[in-house]
Amino acid sequence: MADEPKDLMEEVEEDFELLDTVEYEGELYFMLIPATDNDEIDGEVFIMRRVEAENGEEMLEAVEDEATFDAVYNIFKEKNKDEFEFLD
């Protein structure tokens, strides 16, 4: 019997911890940090968005556009200013 396909977020959560989601210009962005065994955040945040691959499967794609990254990150910071200490 073949293994059941994993949900996209199940696969992501093997390597990353989801901090939050942010909606910006009609798209949903995922704020992720590398998964660790402790609760400490080392400052590296990944912003990704869900896209459909050519084969029809969903995947996450890193946001490379600096303006979009900054806009989404600023929304995240404002939304979570009481939850996290931001160093920038």
Side-chain angles (χ1 to χ4, degrees):
M1 181 160 74
D3 290 331
E4 291 289 322
K6 290 184 181 178
D7 174 80
L8 175 63
M9 290 312 296
E10 280 181 29
E11 289 183 33
V12 168
E13 289 173 349
E14 290 178 5
D15 298 317
F16 294 96
E17 180 180 339
L18 177 65
L19 295 178
D20 200 359
T21 58
V22 171
E23 189 170 333
Y24 175 69
E25 293 189 350
E27 291 197 64
L28 188 62
Y29 293 86
F30 299 85
M31 310 301 292
L32 304 167
I33 58 169
T36 62
D37 292 335
N38 58 42
D39 292 335
E40 203 169 302
I41 297 173
D42 72 359
E44 187 173 19
V45 175
F46 295 90
I47 300 177
M48 305 185 96
R49 66 184 180 102
R50 190 178 300 187
V51 295
E52 188 173 312
E54 290 180 17
N55 63 5
E57 291 187 26
E58 290 184 336
M59 58 182 276
L60 291 182
E61 173 181 85
V63 173
E64 295 182 9
D65 179 69
E66 189 174 335
T68 301
F69 186 97
D70 290 344
V72 171
Y73 186 65
N74 287 330
I75 293 168
F76 169 72
K77 285 192 330 184
E78 180 62 29
K79 184 176 171 185
N80 291 281
K81 63 185 173 195
D82 296 330
E83 298 293 321
F84 301 105
E85 181 180 338
F86 295 95
L87 302 176
D88 55 19

